[in-house]
Amino acid sequence: MLKTEKINNIIVVRFDNTDRFNALITEPVKEEIKSFFNTTGTKLILNLEGIRYIDSSGFGVFLSIMKTAANSRVSQDVLHLP
């Protein structure tokens, strides 16, 4: 569901094999992304390239991970907004 790669100490996370970020996948996505926040100073980019639809559950995940990132002193960015 998610693919990650590390580029110059930055974790880049992108969706794989889906063009929808909806209630069917939000929990596992949220938990996987939050797992990167265990280390202070982590830099994370969430690449939304290829995502064509985001429902309210998907937006809720964005808010949740932004709050977690702020509390964990993690830098995060979002690329390729649909």
Side-chain angles (χ1 to χ4, degrees):
M1 182 172 330
L2 293 178
K3 281 200 170 186
T4 61
E5 66 179 306
K6 198 166 191 176
I7 303 171
N8 298 327
N9 293 324
I10 299 171
I11 299 169
V12 179
V13 179
R14 66 179 178 84
F15 289 84
D16 190 37
N17 295 322
T18 188
D19 65 350
R20 300 172 69 82
F21 186 28
N22 58 22
L24 297 174
I25 63 171
T26 53
E27 272 310 305
V29 167
K30 179 172 70 172
E31 294 308 313
E32 188 170 346
I33 292 173
K34 282 186 173 184
S35 72
F36 296 113
F37 299 158
N38 294 329
T39 305
T40 300
T42 297
K43 294 180 181 178
L44 179 95
I45 295 174
L46 180 59
N47 184 341
L48 298 177
E49 184 175 16
I51 295 297
R52 304 283 177 241
Y53 175 79
I54 303 172
D55 71 4
S56 60
S57 298
F59 283 110
V61 169
F62 293 147
L63 294 174
S64 177
I65 62 174
M66 288 172 55
K67 182 178 178 181
T68 301
N71 291 336
S72 302
R73 295 188 174 98
V74 171
S75 173
Q76 86 283 341
D77 286 310
V78 178
L79 299 176
H80 296 284
L81 292 174

